[in-house]
Amino acid sequence: MKTVKLVSIAALMSCSFAFFTGSAMAADAVSDVKIATLREAPLNVEPTPPAMQKVSNTDIKQSRNYPMQPPVIPHKIDGYQVDLKVNKCMACHDRKQTTDSQAPMVSVTHYMDRENNFLATLSPRRYFCTQCHVPQLEAKLLVENDFVDMDHLIEADSNKKAKH
């Protein structure tokens, strides 16, 4: 039994030594490699951050890029209180408020529980709006985007089939 323990400890120590010396060698090899980032500064330098981008505040409904995409928020929400006691979004988007506010009513799915039973009030799992819905910024793209929405894919497929 003691022999098994000694052999196990020796094997563990040799593996640990190999791991630590191997990782040190790997770190030396990586330090010379330039890694592309959006940071544009070395990691040990704290650059001046860019100015905050302007929030799009048009109140114009934007199209969705894919089925079941949550609508984006087309206005500023700075200072909106959304916590366990208050949800400022519902001051306009609650079904009782939409006539006065002219804001779209939240989807009926927001009044359903996990078993798809309808509730009299907003479902707790849909209460924190910004988990899914986000305001948009008037900003330049940081990374190129070649996203193609469903309608364009279907149209391209139809055109391809029509040519053959």
Side-chain angles (χ1 to χ4, degrees):
M1 184 75 167
K2 288 184 180 180
T3 307
V4 172
K5 284 184 181 179
L6 288 174
V7 170
S8 298
I9 291 171
L12 184 60
M13 290 177 67
S14 65
C15 288
S16 299
F17 178 75
F19 173 77
F20 287 115
T21 56
S23 61
M25 291 181 346
D28 291 340
V30 172
S31 65
D32 296 336
V33 176
K34 295 285 186 185
I35 299 173
T37 69
L38 296 175
R39 186 173 168 81
E40 297 178 358
L43 289 176
N44 62 347
V45 174
E46 187 63 43
T48 303
M52 294 290 289
Q53 301 295 321
K54 184 178 177 187
V55 175
S56 182
N57 198 31
T58 61
D59 271 346
I60 297 172
K61 188 177 182 178
Q62 295 182 17
S63 64
R64 301 184 202 188
N65 294 311
Y66 56 90
M68 304 305 288
Q69 175 189 351
V72 296
I73 302 172
H75 57 80
K76 290 182 181 183
I77 59 169
D78 298 346
Y80 275 37
Q81 183 178 352
V82 179
D83 58 32
L84 291 175
K85 298 187 185 300
V86 177
N87 183 330
K88 173 67 174 159
C89 302
M90 298 309 286
C92 297
H93 294 279
D94 185 64
R95 61 181 167 207
K96 298 174 197 155
Q97 304 300 327
T98 56
T99 303
D100 294 334
S101 68
Q102 293 299 298
M105 183 184 92
V106 295
S107 169
V108 295
T109 60
H110 290 54
Y111 290 91
M112 295 167 68
D113 66 11
R114 291 178 185 200
E115 289 79 34
N116 293 327
N117 299 314
F118 283 96
L119 307 170
T121 58
L122 196 62
S123 171
R125 66 191 189 120
R126 301 291 184 108
Y127 185 82
F128 294 98
C129 307
T130 54
Q131 284 182 312
C132 300
H133 306 279
V134 293
Q136 300 299 288
L137 299 177
E138 296 174 6
K140 69 179 183 84
L141 292 177
L142 295 176
V143 179
E144 287 298 317
N145 183 354
D146 57 0
F147 177 80
V148 179
D149 68 38
M150 291 284 284
D151 295 329
H152 286 91
L153 289 173
I154 292 169
E155 184 179 325
D157 189 49
S158 297
N159 290 341
K160 188 189 299 182
K161 288 179 182 176
K163 289 180 181 180
H164 293 296

